[in-house]
Amino acid sequence: MINKTILCGRLGADAEFRECTGKQPVVRFSVATDQVAGGTKYTEWHDICWFSPSEKATAYMRDRLKKGVVVAVEGQTRTDKWEKDGVKHSRKVVYADSVHPVVAVSSQDNTSRGQAAPVISDQEAFGDLEDWGDGQ
């Protein structure tokens, strides 16, 4: 069986950065993808959850995951289920293995939106992840 999700779309709002119980950074955001069928444009929203490997990776993404930025996301789709006040709820979430901004954004303002981001590898962006240790 294969559960592989690949998306490329725009963030609907700035990403939300938090820490999990074990101090692991978790990043949540929504991505909009568009499709045209029969002359009608359809927008689909996808909830994304990414467990950052370290504080360095989180800091790198904090300046980049802003509203309107195009990102490529790769991961698995899962159904989160919970019950609140006796009512059962569920939603589909893409748990991302990788998140890559496709459009550059200036950390001071958003004037650089629309300019292609330089193509860099994870190694160039994050260095050797094994050297990062436990968020150090």
Side-chain angles (χ1 to χ4, degrees):
M1 305 286 175
I2 296 174
N3 179 356
K4 183 76 150 184
T5 304
I6 300 171
L7 301 169
C8 188
R10 292 193 181 276
L11 266 69
D14 290 358
E16 180 181 306
F17 293 80
R18 294 187 179 176
E19 281 188 359
C20 289
T21 314
K23 299 281 186 186
Q24 182 179 19
V26 62
V27 183
R28 291 189 170 269
F29 54 95
S30 294
V31 171
T33 56
D34 296 324
Q35 176 181 352
V36 178
T40 304
K41 180 179 172 182
Y42 298 94
T43 300
E44 187 72 29
W45 286 93
H46 310 271
D47 290 329
I48 313 294
C49 181
W50 178 60
F51 292 92
S52 177
S54 71
E55 285 297 325
K56 282 187 179 181
T58 303
Y60 176 82
M61 292 303 228
R62 192 175 302 276
D63 290 335
R64 290 161 177 79
L65 297 180
K66 303 292 184 184
K67 180 179 180 176
V69 170
V70 176
V71 293
V73 176
E74 186 174 344
Q76 301 85 38
T77 300
R78 298 183 198 159
T79 303
D80 285 351
K81 297 178 183 180
W82 70 97
E83 189 172 323
K84 183 177 180 181
D85 300 327
V87 179
K88 293 181 180 182
H89 301 271
S90 67
R91 68 176 177 174
K92 297 284 186 185
V93 177
V94 175
Y95 284 86
D97 296 320
S98 65
V99 176
H100 299 280
V102 179
V103 175
V105 172
S106 167
S107 60
Q108 282 118 12
D109 61 31
N110 294 334
T111 57
S112 61
R113 275 196 190 135
Q115 297 175 1
V119 177
I120 58 174
S121 67
D122 285 345
Q123 178 69 28
E124 292 172 302
F126 300 120
D128 189 354
L129 293 179
E130 291 176 7
D131 291 342
W132 288 10
D134 296 325
Q136 300 297 322

